[in-house]
Amino acid sequence: LPVFAAVVLLRLPFVEYGQLPFFGFTLFTLRLDSLSFVFALIFHIAAFLTALYAWHVRDTVQQVAALIYGGAAIGAVLAGDLITLFVFWELTAISSVFLILARGTERAFRASMRYLIIQVSSGLLLLAGALVHYYQTGSLAFDFIGLESAGGWLILLAFGIKCAFPLLHTWLVDAYPEATVTGGLILSAYTTKTAVYTLIRGYAGWEVLIVVGCVMTLYGII
């Protein structure tokens, strides 16, 4: 399935697809350009490699959750508007939690519930930010957002949680070790990388992100 999807991706020209009317808005559910193409292609490769790595695991729920999780991450990086991004943002959270639950222990269950609450809260912040951003700018397009509005700050907080910014990262170190071996590998492939993409798309040129990235690297190593 990832190989088939990658072939389709490679054959598509760079343009916006999937125009969808939504309560008076026009959503662009698939926007393919040079930036989204790179991340989508990497995620397709990751989906293939993780599926191959986990081939020996006879756990249908975990296998299906992994495919939905990877597909949701690809959908998020191809989203052309903030509402579509929100839908796939939450789908990554709901599908990935099953990779933690698959461990079957009490610790895994408790960690997965904490993980789900934080990830869904990130999505709600994204939705709130999108609505405020629309009220202030009249646009739901997922392009450069910036920090000139309250909506921009709410969206940045949502992205920061999913990217595991320092002090917003506790969900990662809490939940990932409780996943199965294959689940932990799959979890490491998408969530924070999807957030990195959204930061590049929405906050390009904001140099504080360089400092945050350096702190994240050093903090994680230490």
Side-chain angles (χ1 to χ4, degrees), residues 32-114:
L32 189 63
D33 59 16
S34 56
L35 177 61
S36 60
F37 173 80
V38 169
F39 275 82
L41 182 60
I42 291 171
F43 284 176
H44 278 88
I45 295 170
F48 171 74
L49 292 177
T50 53
L52 186 64
Y53 178 76
W55 191 261
H56 66 286
V57 178
R58 297 294 179 259
D59 186 342
T60 303
V61 172
Q62 191 171 195
Q63 301 282 19
V64 172
L67 283 174
I68 295 174
Y69 179 34
I74 293 167
V77 300
L78 294 176
D81 63 84
L82 292 170
I83 299 300
T84 302
L85 176 63
F86 163 75
V87 172
F88 286 114
W89 198 262
E90 294 292 54
L91 185 56
T92 60
I94 295 170
S95 56
S96 61
V97 75
F98 287 96
L99 300 174
I100 306 169
L101 285 168
R103 190 82 175 242
T105 64
E106 180 67 20
R107 285 172 57 90
F109 174 78
R110 292 180 180 276
S112 67
M113 292 300 102
R114 292 191 293 268

Side-chain angles (χ1 to χ4, degrees), residues 20 22 29 36 51 114 155 161 166-167 192:
L20 179 69
F22 178 78
T29 56
S36 60
R114 292 191 293 268
I155 294 171
I161 291 173
L167 305 182
T192 54

Side-chain angles (χ1 to χ4, degrees), residues 1-209:
L1 185 60
V3 171
F4 172 76
V7 171
V8 174
L9 177 73
L10 291 169
R11 294 175 62 87
L12 291 176
F14 287 3
V15 70
E16 291 183 322
Y17 301 88
Q19 296 187 30
L20 179 69
F22 178 78
F23 292 100
F25 305 113
T26 300
L27 306 182
F28 292 91
T29 56
L30 198 159
R31 186 252 319 276
L32 189 63
D33 59 16
S34 56
L35 177 61
S36 60
F37 173 80
V38 169
F39 275 82
L41 182 60
I42 291 171
F43 284 176
H44 278 88
I45 295 170
F48 171 74
L49 292 177
T50 53
L52 186 64
Y53 178 76
W55 191 261
H56 66 286
V57 178
R58 297 294 179 259
D59 186 342
T60 303
V61 172
Q62 191 171 195
Q63 301 282 19
V64 172
L67 283 174
I68 295 174
Y69 179 34
I74 293 167
V77 300
L78 294 176
D81 63 84
L82 292 170
I83 299 300
T84 302
L85 176 63
F86 163 75
V87 172
F88 286 114
W89 198 262
E90 294 292 54
L91 185 56
T92 60
I94 295 170
S95 56
S96 61
V97 75
F98 287 96
L99 300 174
I100 306 169
L101 285 168
R103 190 82 175 242
T105 64
E106 180 67 20
R107 285 172 57 90
F109 174 78
R110 292 180 180 276
S112 67
M113 292 300 102
R114 292 191 293 268
Y115 170 88
L116 185 62
I117 289 170
I118 293 174
Q119 293 297 315
V120 170
S121 299
S122 170
L124 293 176
L125 284 169
L126 172 58
L127 180 60
L131 295 176
V132 174
H133 181 71
Y134 172 77
Y135 176 78
Q136 295 177 325
T137 66
S139 174
L140 284 172
F142 181 32
D143 292 310
F144 179 77
I145 297 170
L147 296 169
E148 284 70 35
S149 67
W153 284 99
L154 285 171
I155 294 171
L156 177 64
L157 180 58
F159 292 172
I161 291 173
K162 214 170 190 73
C163 196
F165 279 2
L167 305 182
L168 300 175
H169 71 288
T170 53
W171 59 267
L172 192 153
V173 295
D174 177 38
Y176 280 25
E178 301 305 328
T180 62
V181 174
T182 53
L185 175 71
I186 297 165
L187 284 168
S188 69
Y190 302 113
T191 297
T192 54
K193 285 66 179 179
T194 302
V196 168
Y197 164 82
T198 59
L199 288 167
I200 296 171
R201 174 73 68 183
Y203 298 92
W206 191 45
E207 294 186 358
V208 175
L209 290 175

